Amino acid sequence: KAKFSNERTMVHWIKAAMLLGSLAMTLLSFGENDITPFIGVALLVICLMTLIYSTTVFQVRMEWLNMRRDDVIYYDRFAPTVLTILIMATFGFNAVGK
């Protein structure tokens, strides 16, 4: 049951990263002002960081679940907060740049 939850969490992270990546590619392709290429590249970097994070966390948690460790914390409060702050800052720069 917990292993499926771990996989489901990774799929949600990947889905969020793909949405960010598609938004970044849209900004890079159709951006009309001078700041949109920088915003697009920033979103691509955030997308790649999200993919690396989700894969790493999935692997680590799967190892912990296979070892049946009860002494570790399986939830993360730090990464979603950082991701939200980065995305809001990027969108804020995009809004100010227009």
Side-chain angles (χ1 to χ4, degrees):
K1 189 173 178 180
K3 291 181 182 180
F4 292 127
S5 176
N6 189 28
E7 291 174 4
R8 200 169 42 247
T9 302
M10 183 179 137
V11 168
H12 286 293
W13 276 106
I14 290 174
K15 184 173 67 172
M18 290 298 105
L19 287 171
L20 279 173
S22 63
L23 181 62
M25 293 307 292
T26 302
L27 283 174
L28 285 171
S29 298
F30 302 112
E32 296 179 357
N33 58 7
D34 295 336
I35 197 168
T36 52
F38 298 110
I39 301 298
V41 169
L43 284 175
L44 273 178
V45 169
I46 294 171
C47 169
L48 290 174
M49 287 177 12
T50 304
L51 288 172
I52 292 168
Y53 168 78
S54 67
T55 305
T56 304
V57 168
F58 172 77
Q59 292 296 328
V60 169
R61 286 180 182 165
M62 190 57 75
E63 286 181 26
W64 289 345
L65 287 170
N66 287 334
M67 293 174 11
R68 298 182 186 268
R69 290 188 60 180
D70 293 330
D71 60 333
V72 295
I73 299 173
Y74 287 99
Y75 61 89
D76 185 15
R77 294 183 186 183
F78 179 71
T81 305
V82 170
L83 180 65
T84 303
I85 290 170
L86 287 173
I87 292 171
M88 294 304 288
T90 307
F91 290 152
F93 288 131
N94 191 25
V96 170
K98 291 185 176 188

